[in-house]
Amino acid sequence: MIWAIWVIFVPFGIYLLYQFQAPGEINWPILVGYTVLSILTTYFPFKVAGTTIFLVQWINLAIFLKYGVFVEAIVMQLAVIPLALQLKIGFSDFFRAIFNSFMFFMVSVISGVSVILMGYQVGSLELKDIILFGFIYQIINMFTNHVILYTYLKLTKQENEGFFGSHTFWDYAGIIVTFPFGITLYLLNEYVSTAFLLLGVPFLIITFLIRLYSNSERVNEDLNQATEIGHELADRLTGVEIIDLFLTKISKMLPVDYSYILDIKNGKLVFLKSMEKDVDVEIDLSHEDLLKSIAGIVYKKEKSILFNKQSDWRKVSSGFLPEDAESVISVPISRNQTMEGILVIASRKKYAFESYQLQILSLLCSYFAVSLEKARFVQEAVSKSERCGLTKLYNYRYLEQQLEINMNDLLNGELRQLSLLMMDIDHFKAINDAYGHQSGNDILFGLARLLEREVEDCGILARYGGEEFVVILPNYSKEQSLILAEELRTKIESTPFEIRAELEDKPQLTLVHITTSIGVSTAPEDCDEAMALIRNADRALYIGAKREGRNRVAEYVK
């Protein structure tokens, strides 16, 4: 469609422009100098606050004031060439260059013809007319450019920041800065034939220096941002939080549409996390298939790689990237000079990434790897502090914390009821005396596994101490808790536990049966405090179950 629009409007439009206002006498060396200056200015833009600025308006203004709309339109068509090179437009997306050609032509026609119809005489030296009509020309020129571009983005459903955004502000700021240069270039050219050199060369040098400064600022900004991300990663305590934050921050920092983290487990590549357009996806590929992908190249060479367009990486890899992926960066995730994973990010745009961003991502991946290792140590430390070393169940410390949380939920109305089972192994000392303490430990461990299987979907299981175990049951009534407790008692009574009888002359495996007594208490019927709930269940255990003969369930009674 863009090609068709261009064919319909541009060639015939240029002919009509010539008929509307044929150029007068042309000083070809000066016009060539203007044209070269316009091309160079277009090829060397710079960025301010993320906005790419092409300060070519002042040269277009001087050309229009001197030679009229036809010549200015022709020069702007020539400026499409360096613009296409700057934007790295290839054959497959050459329609973008054609669109820019159409947009430049329409901008030239609307702004130039409008000013001429308002009364401007091309080549006039009246300062009042030059300033007035020159300024009107610049405003119409920029406004028309924004209207066409905004309309195009809306029709093609591309992301944009609205008609008046930060990009618009910087574009109009560029007009204000360059307008005096355009007027000066036009007037000076009437008296000095090399005016385009006197103004153009210093202007290009200044533009080039600003471009260098802008690029260094971008690198410094990215480095500072990477450091901040590193600090945020270090503050996270779980691997899931770190992975999610890592990919989220990279997607905000760079134009990322697809991101993947691959783990290296036992020398094989596996997906740890995959996101496509901010949505988690599952990808099932074998290690052998992944070796043929871009991640496989990094895995083999242990070096970062950057591809600017799909035609480059399709030659050397296949794999999991979507069909519309273009630019790709892949970086090893290393710690202590050992590669532990691979990051792959991709954009649907060509040339979306800069080469220096490889180093930025390598730095981020180092932060990521260290943060994951730290989180692993933290989780191990927490697990040790919250778990019983023998049974691997939660310990008394964790039980108290969790019970307080549940009781607060009950008091706040988030839970209807809260029950607690306190159970104790009957005659446990006799087992230790008969078979040895290691045998007693075997029974404790075996009972912990049985209870895990039976109550893992019901509540929180913990070792209270010695041979006592506790189960916290959120939203369980007294009746439901008693039924569960009786089921557990029956299950334990009928289950043989395997122990190694160490006190025998020849230690051998022996099957032992045990029984348990269980006390039950429920809030808010029985109490409204966490520790009171434990005391009540403990009282029911010893008075209602132990004293009544053991191997039974008893509820707390006020």
Side-chain angles (χ1 to χ4, degrees):
M1 184 181 294
I2 291 173
W3 275 94
I5 292 172
W6 186 89
V7 169
I8 292 171
F9 283 92
V10 177
F12 187 59
I14 290 176
Y15 169 75
L16 291 179
L17 272 185
Y18 184 83
Q19 297 300 318
F20 173 75
Q21 186 199 54
E25 184 180 349
I26 296 177
N27 186 325
W28 286 103
I30 292 178
L31 181 58
V32 170
Y34 281 169
T35 304
V36 171
L37 189 58
S38 178
I39 289 173
L40 290 175
T41 305
T42 306
Y43 189 72
F44 292 109
F46 59 90
K47 284 194 173 185
V48 176
T51 301
T52 302
I53 298 178
F54 297 88
L55 293 180
V56 72
Q57 302 99 326
W58 67 289
I59 307 168
N60 299 347
L61 174 61
I63 295 172
F64 170 75
L65 293 174
K66 178 66 178 176
Y67 298 112
V69 63
F70 174 78
V71 174
E72 190 272 341
I74 295 297
V75 173
M76 283 306 295
Q77 290 301 300
L78 294 175
V80 172
I81 299 172
L83 181 63
L85 294 174
Q86 172 62 35
L87 296 177
K88 298 179 175 66
I89 295 175
F91 179 78
S92 61
D93 58 350
F94 195 71
F95 69 90
R96 295 171 60 197
I98 297 303
F99 171 75
N100 284 323
S101 171
F102 167 75
M103 183 172 67
F104 286 1
F105 175 74
M106 295 304 298
V107 167
S108 297
V109 169
I110 294 173
S111 57
V113 171
S114 297
V115 171
I116 291 173
L117 292 177
M118 288 178 189
Y120 175 69
Q121 296 295 320
V122 174
S124 172
L125 293 178
E126 288 289 334
L127 185 60
K128 180 181 68 174
D129 289 348
I130 293 171
I131 294 176
L132 175 61
F133 289 112
F135 186 73
I136 293 174
Y137 170 83
Q138 290 281 62
I139 293 297
I140 295 175
N141 191 292
M142 186 59 66
F143 182 77
T144 305
N145 179 80
H146 283 151
V147 169
I148 295 174
L149 185 58
Y150 177 76
T151 303
Y152 171 74
L153 293 175
K154 292 292 285 185
L155 291 175
T156 55
K157 298 180 180 179
Q158 297 184 49
E159 294 182 6
N160 64 84
E161 59 174 12
F163 190 76
F164 291 105
S166 59
H167 296 308
T168 308
F169 169 79
W170 286 110
D171 285 338
Y172 282 99
I175 287 180
I176 295 173
V177 171
T178 60
F179 179 70
F181 285 90
I183 298 297
T184 304
L185 178 62
Y186 169 62
L187 292 174
L188 188 59
N189 185 68
E190 293 298 318
Y191 307 100
V192 181
S193 59
T194 56
F196 71 90
L197 290 176
L198 294 175
L199 283 176
V201 173
F203 188 88
L204 283 175
I205 292 174
I206 293 172
T207 302
F208 186 71
L209 291 175
I210 293 175
R211 176 185 171 89
L212 290 178
Y213 175 77
S214 175
N215 288 342
S216 65
E217 282 290 293
R218 288 172 58 200
V219 174
N220 289 334
E221 183 181 342
D222 284 349
L223 281 171
N224 290 334
Q225 194 172 350
T227 302
E228 291 176 4
I229 293 172
H231 291 156
E232 289 187 54
L233 290 172
D235 290 338
R236 298 301 188 270
L237 298 180
T238 67
V240 173
E241 289 180 321
I242 291 171
I243 293 170
D244 290 342
L245 178 65
F246 180 62
L247 292 184
T248 299
K249 291 295 183 180
I250 287 178
S251 296
K252 290 182 179 179
M253 184 178 180
L254 301 174
V256 177
D257 294 306
Y258 310 106
S259 53
Y260 311 88
I261 298 178
L262 292 94
D263 196 8
I264 300 176
K265 291 184 177 180
N266 301 320
K268 294 186 179 296
L269 290 169
V270 294
F271 279 101
L272 184 62
K273 176 89 170 179
S274 304
M275 292 190 70
E276 297 183 354
K277 301 175 184 177
D278 298 326
V279 177
D280 288 346
V281 296
E282 293 289 336
I283 301 177
D284 185 18
L285 288 177
S286 67
H287 173 70
E288 289 69 26
D289 291 332
L290 290 173
L291 286 178
K292 301 173 185 177
S293 69
I294 291 175
I297 299 174
V298 175
Y299 177 78
K300 295 171 185 175
K301 296 183 177 181
E302 296 190 14
K303 291 183 178 179
S304 303
I305 53 175
L306 165 64
F307 294 104
N308 289 314
K309 53 185 186 293
Q310 186 180 118
S311 57
D312 293 339
W313 55 265
R314 284 294 185 194
K315 299 174 184 176
V316 296
S317 72
S318 58
F320 52 86
L321 289 173
E323 289 295 325
D324 60 349
E326 289 286 351
S327 304
V328 180
I329 284 183
S330 187
V331 179
I333 300 172
S334 301
R335 187 180 62 84
N336 296 332
Q337 298 182 337
T338 301
M339 186 167 62
E340 298 183 346
I342 297 169
L343 170 69
V344 181
I345 61 173
S347 172
R348 287 175 289 176
K349 297 179 181 179
K350 296 180 180 179
Y351 298 93
F353 307 119
E354 303 286 345
S355 57
Y356 79 87
Q357 289 168 341
L358 283 172
Q359 283 71 43
I360 300 292
L361 283 174
S362 294
L363 177 62
L364 280 172
C365 285
S366 297
Y367 286 138
F368 175 67
V370 171
S371 298
L372 278 181
E373 184 69 7
K374 174 191 169 185
R376 186 175 67 82
F377 284 130
V378 169
Q379 289 302 308
E380 288 179 356
V382 170
S383 178
K384 289 179 180 178
S385 69
E386 293 179 345
R387 297 278 180 173
C388 163
L390 172 62
T391 63
K392 310 306 178 186
L393 299 180
Y394 289 118
N395 57 23
Y396 179 78
R397 175 185 174 186
Y398 179 85
L399 171 71
E400 278 191 324
Q401 294 173 349
Q402 193 60 42
L403 191 56
E404 286 288 350
I405 293 173
N406 289 145
M407 185 60 73
N408 287 333
D409 290 342
L410 177 71
L411 298 177
N412 293 332
E414 296 179 28
L415 293 177
R416 299 186 308 276
Q417 291 175 298
L418 179 64
S419 292
L420 185 140
L421 309 185
M422 174 82 75
M423 63 181 66
D424 181 85
I425 301 176
D426 297 328
H427 304 296
F428 188 70
K429 184 178 182 301
I431 296 174
N432 285 331
D433 292 343
Y435 301 105
H437 286 282
Q438 182 56 48
S439 298
N441 290 342
D442 291 340
I443 288 178
L444 291 173
F445 184 83
L447 179 58
R449 302 289 77 76
L450 182 150
L451 293 173
E452 274 183 334
R453 292 192 299 270
E454 298 298 321
V455 303
E456 62 179 353
D457 297 328
C458 305
I460 298 168
L461 172 65
R463 184 186 179 191
Y464 188 70
E467 64 271 24
E468 292 182 323
F469 296 82
V470 169
V471 183
I472 303 174
L473 299 170
N475 280 332
Y476 262 65
S477 66
K478 179 72 71 68
E479 292 73 18
Q480 291 173 314
S481 302
L482 289 170
I483 292 171
L484 176 62
E486 182 60 29
E487 291 175 351
L488 291 175
R489 187 199 65 76
T490 304
K491 181 72 175 180
I492 294 168
E493 182 182 31
S494 61
T495 300
F497 291 87
E498 187 176 78
I499 63 171
R500 181 177 293 276
E502 293 182 336
L503 298 184
E504 303 289 338
D505 294 335
K506 292 182 179 181
Q508 57 184 347
L509 294 179
T510 304
L511 295 179
V512 175
H513 283 81
I514 62 172
T515 61
T516 55
S517 299
I518 304 175
V520 179
S521 180
T522 302
E525 295 97 307
D526 300 335
C527 60
D528 56 4
E529 292 182 3
M531 297 312 297
L533 192 64
I534 292 180
R535 288 196 299 269
N536 293 342
D538 191 49
R539 181 179 177 84
L541 166 66
Y542 282 95
I543 295 178
K546 290 283 189 182
R547 287 186 183 180
E548 296 300 321
R550 295 183 173 85
N551 190 23
R552 65 184 60 219
V553 174
E555 64 177 296
Y556 173 76
V557 179
K558 291 184 178 181

